[in-house]
Amino acid sequence: MELSYGLTRPVLPAGETVTVDLLLTFHTDYAAARRPDRRPLSVSIVIDRSGSMSGRPLKQATEAAGLLVRQLSPSDTVSVVVYDSRVDTIVAPTRVTDPEAIVKKVNGVRPAGATALHGGWLRGCEHAAEVPSDEAVRRVLLLTDGQANVGVTATPEIVAQAAKQAEQAVVTSTLGFGLGFNEDLLIGMAEAGRGNFYYIESPDEATQLFLIEGESITAIGAQDLTVTLRPRRGVTIEEAIDARALKTGKDGSLRVPVGDVYGGEDRHVALTVTVQVPEAGGDFELFDVAYTYDPVATASRRGEVSETAVVRATAGRADARPDPNVMRTVSRLRVALAKERAVTRSDAGEHDVAAELLRHEAAQQRTRGMDEEYEIAEEVSQLEHFADLMANKRFDYGARKALRDQSYQGRSRSRADLTARGAGGGSAKSLDEASEVGSGVLLTCEREAGKLRVKAHGERVDGAVPVLIPRAVREEGVAYVADALEPSAHGTFYRVKGALRRLAKAPRRRASRRACSSTRSSRAAASRGCRC
């Protein structure tokens, strides 16, 4: 386990009292986490086969589950449970020595009945627990498209049981399919159960998300990472940019249960702190950091590992430029927290307050200049999109699922293919119509990894550089015409310059010969003025 840290102001002004953000980053190497002698897995896949899953959803779900089985190794154990109004085990816990035989049974699942979610999940927990925790990492993957309506149905009770299972080293990940599932239940189970949550907005996304979970659970570098930060004299924690953080003791310390750390995927803890900076220049100490975890990338269980570190800052002339990676990550975490708070306000009927929370965070990101980075500019666009929905009383079930998913992924995961997912965009009908491209730039809107991406086409643009347009007018499969494009300050994306119109009929497009050399990076191409 590696710990690194950074401040949004790398050098603090000597002799002053300042407020600054601190970012801790925990990392394990992907290759080490995937080493051949890693501790085996005991995985139970639990699939909802209720009537609402009939047709393409169930077909995509079972095919995706089959791909996950193929990711496992012969030393891993897998079981498969299906449920409707009753619960059936179609694959008892077995070593994955013949994955195709297991896949064949999974592909034979047929829909029927109601939704005994609790019973199906509990059966999966029992199967996963058949392998002792000192011999395997135990994981349950629950997929559903509906509400728990048979047996135990109360969200608080099921979430509490997920927490108890996690205490017994049985971790729960959940996947919600479509618009009918209860996101509060599934996110609650994932958080209490120390696993992951995924929103499968369309059947085509099932494969990608099962593969992501498969990559994650087969590369767990550490389990149950818990971080405790104790501030030194002159340092006060103002805010934890993380809903998981818990205040402990009278010394102002903070405890954060981070959870599992996957190989190659960073886990973060961010704080806003006020610091009385010493008048003398040079390094000084901010925090004592103690963290514990269970190392998984080893065949035998070693038990809990405790490590400590001291976080330091530098006092002097405060003219050093901040680390862009620290700024970007802290911004993403701040946006995620704002989204979570806005959902809470909206649920309480305070729609205008919720919208203002989102708009305020968007304004803060602009003030910091972070809207010149594509990832954060995209988040600012998302904030404004959802703020408009809330203010206009159009924040429906689908939008709520998307916002909760984005908040969860933003604060819990650091994979690029999971950020800003789950937003289906809006409609391009509000735009004026163009009959031809003419002297403008052709844009198309396509779905990639659960996100709507807008791409430019033409001789004078770099098609690999994304184009930022309002989410409210993004619509999959639609073509647009922009008067012109201009690159952002850092060259990571294009902005529309002038009018944006909807193209009445998308022309046939040939593979364009780009003016920019194919050997240049997208960022370099945009920053060198590749525009119309």
Side-chain angles (χ1 to χ4, degrees), residues 223-243:
Q223 282 188 301
D224 299 335
L225 172 65
T226 300
V227 182
T228 301
L229 298 104
R230 293 184 176 85
R232 290 293 184 97
R233 183 175 180 146
V235 179
T236 304
I237 298 174
E238 301 294 343
E239 179 186 31
I241 314 173
D242 193 318

Side-chain angles (χ1 to χ4, degrees), residues 195-253:
N196 300 311
F197 164 77
Y198 305 93
Y199 173 27
I200 305 175
E201 190 175 10
S202 66
D204 293 338
E205 294 175 22
T207 297
Q208 182 215 9
L209 294 178
F210 263 89
L211 287 173
I212 288 174
E213 179 67 2
E215 289 175 3
S216 299
I217 65 176
T218 56
I220 299 176
Q223 282 188 301
D224 299 335
L225 172 65
T226 300
V227 182
T228 301
L229 298 104
R230 293 184 176 85
R232 290 293 184 97
R233 183 175 180 146
V235 179
T236 304
I237 298 174
E238 301 294 343
E239 179 186 31
I241 314 173
D242 193 318
R244 300 167 299 188
L246 304 167
K247 284 282 179 71
T248 60
K250 296 181 179 180
D251 59 354
S253 62

Side-chain angles (χ1 to χ4, degrees), residues 286-302:
L286 290 177
F287 283 94
D288 294 312
V289 181
Y291 54 102
T292 63
Y293 60 93
D294 169 26
V296 173
T298 179
S300 61
R301 186 179 178 89
R302 287 167 48 191

Side-chain angles (χ1 to χ4, degrees), residues 42-48 61-72 77-83 87-91 93 96 102-103 106 109 120-121 123-125 127-128 139-143 173 175 210 213-214 217:
S42 177
V43 180
S44 186
I45 304 171
V46 181
I47 301 174
D48 182 347
T62 53
E63 288 179 354
L67 288 175
L68 187 144
V69 170
R70 294 187 180 102
Q71 288 180 275
L72 303 178
T77 299
V78 70
S79 59
V80 182
V81 175
V82 294
Y83 66 90
V87 176
D88 293 313
T89 298
I90 62 170
V91 178
V96 191
I102 298 170
V103 169
V106 173
V109 175
W121 165 73
R123 177 79 63 84
C125 292
H127 287 326
R139 201 87 170 200
V140 177
L141 277 65
L142 169 67
L143 181 143
S173 286
L175 301 96
F210 263 89
E213 179 67 2
I217 65 176

Side-chain angles (χ1 to χ4, degrees), residues 125-136:
C125 292
E126 292 167 355
H127 287 326
E130 289 187 27
V131 181
S133 62
D134 60 349
E135 296 179 11

